[in-house]
Amino acid sequence: GAKAEGRHGHRFFSIEQRRKVEHAQSLDTGLREGLRANEFLLHYQPQFHLGSGRATSVEALIRWQRPGHGLVSPGTFLRAAEDSGFIVQITEWVVRQACAQMRAWMQRGIAPDRVAINVSPTLFRRLDMHRLVTEAARTAGVPLSMLELELTEGVMMDRSAATLETLHALRRDGVSLALDDFGTGFSSLDYLRRFKVNRIKIDQSFVRNLPQNGEDASIVRTIIGLTHGLGLLVVAEGVETQEALDFLRAEGCDEVQGFHLGRPCGPDDCAQNFLVLRRAAG
Ligand code: C2E
Ligand code: MG
Ligand code: MG
Ligand code: MG
């Protein structure tokens, strides 16, 4: 929509723009009330080690059980939460909830090696992530080595000393770091040598059409080579078919995640999956 410039530089919003602003505001109000009313939950999606077939970790993915709207996906509300700053409270909740769930699985003897938590790039400038993660883990009684943070290129490109220090402190204390959605950003690769993550996750857009799409196949092969050349582990996300899985195995990909192997699900269904896998492996 066109934005008209007023006589004194005031901006007049079109009806459509005003509707967008109002929608964002009511969404933000809904989020705040939703957190108070305990409407958020985490689903977990397993990640598998290709060599052993073992489910090594789970990724925590937020959902909003919003009355009248059903189960709402993060794609529809994270943007608004970031714009309003409410993402801080959401992240605090996610980190504590993921730690509490790990503790519950540990007590039943069925915990995966790690739980991976997604972190928006802006978080590192908005709150002390090292403190949040270490305190949440200590409160729940979960070792820091059982936690992984999934970062996007936005975090890696942030050259502020504070962000780098936080990442180093997290690594030093045993938290794993993964670079999410790899290949979709606009940055150069120089952050890969400036900061060493544990894992690189190939974005699902490159994985979805494997192995038929020759260009995607070349890109994935190259990312696997690059990652291994740097001494890092590589994970493919968005594995939807047996053919894609076979391709990734043949190319030496370390870990896989996707609907073909397991959809995100609630903690109880997830635990059921761990048990089935343990039995199959043992
Ligand atoms: P992501 O971290 O890249 O997570 C992967 C997304 O792909 C998830 O969508 C997952 O359900 C979906 N997915 C997994 N396997 C497949 C597959 O085989 N095929 C297809 N088509 N999709 C697959 P979801 O849960 O809707 O999350 C979307 C994004 O929202 C995530 O992308 C992540 O960036 C963000 N997100 C989710 N939870 C959180 C959270 O707690 N905090 C923050 N800051 N971001 C979150
Ligand atoms: Mg992720
Ligand atoms: Mg991703
Ligand atoms: Mg994504």
Side-chain angles (χ1 to χ4, degrees):
K3 212 176 276 175
E5 205 68 46
R7 257 199 313 159
H8 305 291
H10 296 294
R11 287 183 159 180
F12 296 103
F13 289 93
S14 70
I15 289 169
E16 193 202 328
Q17 282 165 333
R18 182 156 59 207
R19 230 177 250 143
K20 271 193 194 145
V21 170
E22 282 167 1
H23 174 74
Q25 282 167 349
S26 82
L27 186 54
D28 189 58
T29 306
L31 287 169
R32 284 166 201 275
E33 284 165 2
L35 189 61
R36 266 198 300 272
N38 210 16
E39 289 168 10
F40 290 100
L41 60 143
L42 293 179
H43 276 183
Y44 299 86
Q45 186 179 30
Q47 239 176 49
F48 297 84
H49 183 247
L50 262 177
S52 63
R54 222 167 68 82
T56 46
S57 83
V58 292
E59 178 175 5
L61 296 159
I62 195 168
R63 303 286 180 262
W64 181 14
Q65 187 66 64
R66 189 182 191 190
H69 293 78
L71 199 59
V72 184
S73 292
T76 62
F77 62 85
L78 282 180
R79 179 83 253 176
E82 271 167 44
D83 289 347
S84 73
F86 191 59
I87 189 71
V88 169
Q89 285 93 317
I90 291 181
T91 304
E92 288 170 339
W93 179 83
V94 169
V95 170
R96 290 178 188 136
Q97 181 63 29
C99 288
Q101 186 57 60
M102 272 305 257
R103 181 72 207 165
W105 281 328
M106 284 165 71
Q107 279 164 341
R108 293 172 56 194
I110 56 166
D113 295 350
R114 288 180 311 279
V115 63
I117 298 166
N118 291 282
V119 183
S120 307
T122 58
L123 256 300
F124 284 80
R125 265 165 283 131
R126 285 172 156 164
L127 80 101
D128 185 343
M129 280 302 295
H130 179 262
R131 185 169 169 190
L132 170 62
V133 169
T134 50
E135 285 186 358
R138 182 162 9 91
T139 303
V142 173
L144 287 169
S145 60
M146 293 181 98
L147 301 181
E148 179 161 271
L149 298 185
E150 295 198 1
L151 318 168
T152 50
E153 285 179 339
V155 180
M156 307 304 289
M157 286 165 66
D158 178 350
R159 288 161 183 276
S160 78
T163 297
L164 267 182
E165 235 165 73
T166 302
L167 294 176
H168 278 293
L170 286 162
R171 281 291 314 257
R172 181 200 62 213
D173 292 344
V175 176
S176 295
L177 300 177
L179 188 50
D180 206 353
D181 302 344
F182 186 76
T184 57
F186 294 96
S187 61
S188 71
L189 297 172
D190 93 299
Y191 57 79
L192 285 180
R193 32 169 210 201
R194 263 190 297 123
F195 192 84
K196 276 240 150 67
V197 294
N198 302 76
R199 279 180 188 69
I200 284 178
K201 297 187 78 176
I202 307 174
D203 189 70
Q204 49 185 280
S205 60
F206 302 111
V207 176
R208 197 176 298 139
N209 302 313
L210 291 178
Q212 290 84 359
N213 186 308
E215 284 163 359
D216 289 350
S218 296
I219 289 169
V220 167
R221 198 175 284 130
T222 303
I223 296 176
I224 292 171
L226 170 72
T227 309
H228 286 163
L230 293 168
L232 312 175
L233 294 167
V234 59
V235 187
E237 55 180 359
V239 179
E240 293 185 353
T241 63
Q242 184 62 42
E243 292 69 35
L245 183 62
D246 293 340
F247 175 88
L248 291 160
R249 193 194 303 275
E251 294 298 329
C253 188
D254 300 296
E255 292 166 10
V256 286
Q257 179 180 354
F259 292 169
H260 181 61
L261 302 142
R263 287 181 178 260
C265 55
D268 296 334
D269 295 330
C270 221
Q272 206 53 40
N273 289 343
F274 303 156
L275 288 172
V276 170
L277 287 159
R278 288 277 147 98
R279 275 195 216 107

